[in-house]
């Protein structure tokens, strides 16, 4: 039956034909994402549990993280590979877990090429990438030939392991992409020298794979539609490649945008939602097989719109399925307002993976810890019955005058830590009362969502707000809880958060000084010339907030220098300068480059926006005083004044603990109230959940 709200998204699709044909129950593909669980054999059941939870949540097809076809194709030393029968046997635990949960799963075969973080890495040519320390060796013609066969062997092993399909990773700047682009392929043998010869390796990989697995087994090829690097492919080359791959036996095209070394953001929050949909639409005009849209698609509405517009046949979402394993089930039940939306922050997923840590999710700390962070039902507590008659309700072993009831929990503070604690506790069965002194939930998160490019953060508050409602939490807004208010509860979680730190600079009480909270909340509207004190995450965000001018998708592309790949190699053109709404000077005491401590996979983009917005950056400053002229600083022993109409302080936070200190009972302190230093929502949400899971 056609779904009334998402008729295209929830429509089945059959890939291939014959005995190996695969019917997907809907058009949602959980895109490949390396989680770190792939790399250690003893994590295989954790990985199975991670995928099984998503399969139970209704996703059409899951694609695993990348598995190398050869050791030299490893992402890092001893990383995941699919190279022998033992691997295939071990993977039966994954395919079994997914199939038992009613899902379908494809193995991704990925050769890292020069992105391999190890000295054995190899590529088309011996050209080091700007993001890895190792120079790859150039593969000999024979090695290229053998590697194409190794790819095919991995594909066949995947089929043997029970996978329903495979995905050959041909985008994001990995080995196949390295062969395709002149940037990284200066060979003059049969594998390079002309666009057609550069395509040969990718085509051989698919041709040999098809030969080994037969006519029907679905082979997905992830094709790079926009390389976004100098010396990248033109659209003409991409279209020609797609046709050759289709002839060689590709069943479906998944799509990728941008190499990892590209200096255009492609998936983080500041990238407009659905920014790349037109690229998939263009591929769909070229090929006959189904195509799958990807990158910055995180709601069922957007996915449905892309499919309904005929721009794609499938939609790939990787991080959104990390954030909410039941994404599809909720869409199906018309409960999309209960989806825990991925906010594209990268903080707990890609930032972890690129730091060699296991991936998780900022808004869902259970991601990749499904078997470890479990919210078990809480046992009832026994309490004296109000009357003898109620003793009939007492559980076995209870006293004659006791009744069983749900334990009660007071959570004080509705910032990320408090929201996580309150919802996790209600899920466990606690009777939860949530106190918040502001008229709205959200705490520091509510400020963050005011930053241009962080609008998605509002979805996290929508999610928590709805979750509180669904779980029946008693929410008391505008109430500053006292020790008396929480005295009668069985347990108390204190999540009273933080307040902006005002450093002891002479003149800090000057009327031109405001905190970041005043500015982001709109309580203070800064003048034209602004000095920002403190260049941590919030100082950078506030500088972006202050300089930002409205931009639509076309402006956004122009500011980042994204052009038509039919006209510009790799889809890169000259960036159009931004105009800045204000003159901003961002100052810090440290001498390190500004913004260096920001997220590993997103910090560079935030730093680029500062440059694009002509934010003046001053490091190594000593703050002397503030007066009518502005901020007086000494830098390198030279005193100067930075003139300003407004001085915005972003110098970190202090914990708010007055309630906790006033309690004469045991309570659990979480989030910024526990530790303000380096507080972020990832730690707050995770701690709030973990504390409650252990109650
Ligand atoms: P933060 O990262 O700790 O930065 C505050 C900055 O204020 C420090 O870097 C410090 O720099 C300065 N400072 C500290 N004490 C000071 C004092 N007494 N006088 C003058 N300056 C002082 O804190 P935040 O910027 O408030 O951010 C809070 C948390 O949210 C952090 O964990 C941050 O990573 C996270 N966050 C991340 C992002 C992002 O990744 N995009 C965005 C927003 C927030 P100096 O000592 O060098 O002056
Ligand atoms: Fe999305 Fe951030 Fe979670 Fe990654 S950590 S899945 S980007 S919300």
């Amino acid at each position: 039956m056609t779904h009334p709200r998402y008729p295209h998204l929830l429509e089945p699709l059959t890939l291939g034909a014959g005995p190996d044909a695969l019917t997907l129950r809907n058009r949602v593909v959980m895109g490949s994402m390396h989680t770190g669980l792939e790399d250690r054999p003893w994590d295989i059941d954790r990985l199975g549990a991670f995928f099984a939870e998503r399969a139970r949540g209704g996703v059409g097809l899951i694609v695993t993280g990348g598995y190398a076809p050869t050791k030299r194709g490893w992402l890092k030393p001893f990383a995941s590979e699919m190279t022998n029968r033992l691997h295939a046997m071990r993977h039966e635990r994954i395919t079994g877990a997914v199939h038992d949960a009613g899902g379908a799963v494809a193995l991704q075969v990925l050769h890292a090429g020069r992105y391999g973080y190890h000295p054995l890495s190899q590529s088309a040519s011996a050209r080091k990438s700007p993001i890895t320390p190792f120079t790859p060796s150039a593969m000999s013609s024979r090695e290229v030939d053998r590697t194409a066969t190794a790819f095919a062997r991995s594909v066949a092993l995947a089929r043997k392991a029970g996978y329903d399909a495979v995905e050959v990773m041909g985008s994001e700047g990995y080995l196949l992409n390295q062969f395709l682009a002149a940037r990284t392929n200066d060979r003059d043998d049969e594998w390079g020298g002309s666009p057609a010869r550069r395509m040969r390796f990718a085509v051989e990989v698919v041709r040999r794979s098809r030969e080994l697995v037969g006519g029907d087994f679905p082979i997905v090829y992830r094709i790079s539609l926009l390389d976004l690097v100098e010396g990248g492919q033109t659209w003409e080359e991409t279209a020609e490649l797609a046709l050759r791959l289709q002839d060689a036996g590709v069943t479906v095209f998944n799509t990728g945008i941008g190499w990892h070394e590209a200096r255009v953001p492609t998936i983080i929050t500041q990238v407009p939602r659905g920014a790349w949909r037109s690229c998939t639409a263009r591929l769909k005009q070229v090929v006959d097989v189904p195509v799958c849209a990807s990158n910055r698609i995180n709601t069922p509405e957007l996915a449905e719109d892309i499919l309904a517009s005929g721009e794609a046949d499938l939609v790939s979402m990787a991080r959104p399925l990390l954030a909410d394993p039941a994404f599809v089930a909720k869409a199906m039940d018309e409960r999309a307002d209960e989806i825990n939306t991925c906010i594209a922050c990268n903080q707990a997923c890609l930032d972890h993976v690129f730091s060699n840590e296991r991936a998780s999710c900022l808004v869902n700390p259970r991601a990749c810890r499904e078997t470890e962070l479990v919210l078990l039902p809480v046992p009832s507590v026994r309490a004296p019955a109000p009357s003898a008659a109620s003793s009939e309700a007492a559980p076995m072993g209870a006293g004659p005058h006791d009744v069983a009831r749900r334990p009660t929990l007071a959570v004080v503070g509705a910032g990320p830590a408090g929201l996580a604690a309150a919802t996790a506790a209600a899920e466990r069965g606690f009777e939860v009362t949530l106190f918040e002194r502001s008229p709205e939930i959200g705490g520091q998160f509510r400020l963050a969502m005011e930053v241009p490019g962080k609008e998605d953060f509002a979805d996290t508050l929508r999610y928590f707000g709805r979750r509180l409602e669904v779980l029946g939490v008693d929410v008391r807004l505008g109430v500053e809880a006292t020790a008396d208010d929480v005295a009668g509860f069985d347990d108390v979680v204190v999540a009273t958060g933080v307040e902006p730190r005002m450093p002891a600079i002479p003149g800090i009480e000057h009327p031109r000084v405001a905190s970041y909270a005043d500015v982001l909340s709109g309580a203070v509207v800064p003048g034209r010339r602004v000095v920002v004190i403190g260049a941590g995450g919030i100082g950078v965000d506030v500088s972006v907030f202050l300089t930002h001018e409205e931009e639509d998708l076309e402006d956004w592309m122009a500011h980042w220098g994204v052009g038509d790949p039919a006209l510009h190699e790799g889809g890169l053109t000259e960036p159009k300068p931004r105009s800045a709404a204000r003159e901003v000077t961002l100052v810090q005491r440290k001498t390190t480059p500004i913004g260096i401590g920001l997220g590993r996979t997103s910090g560079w983009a935030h730093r680029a926006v500062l440059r694009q917005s002509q934010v003046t950056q001053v490091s190594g400053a000593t703050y002397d005083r503030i007066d009518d002229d502005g901020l007086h600083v000494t830098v390198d022993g030279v005193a100067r004044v930075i003139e300003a109409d407004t001085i915005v302080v972003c110098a970190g936070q202090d914990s708010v603990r007055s309630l906790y200190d006033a309690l004469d009972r045991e309570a659990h302190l979480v989030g910024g109230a526990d530790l303000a230093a380096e507080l972020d929502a990832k730690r707050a949400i995770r701690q709030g959940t973990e504390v409650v899971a252990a109650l």
Side-chain angles (χ1 to χ4, degrees), residues 25 97 117 134 137 181 195 200 231 240 253 293 329 332 345 375-376 411 414 421 427 446 463 538 584 595 636 645 674:
R25 51 190 163 171
Y117 217 82
F134 300 97
S137 63
R200 204 174 144 226
E240 177 61 27
F253 281 104
M332 208 174 305
C345 65
L375 297 175
L376 294 173
V411 178
E427 246 176 87
R446 189 162 284 284
Y463 162 76
I538 292 182
V584 171
D636 291 335
D645 304 312
D674 175 33

Side-chain angles (χ1 to χ4, degrees), residues 300-311:
E301 284 73 24
L302 176 57
E304 172 67 21
D305 190 55
I306 290 170
L307 297 171
S309 315
E311 294 171 8

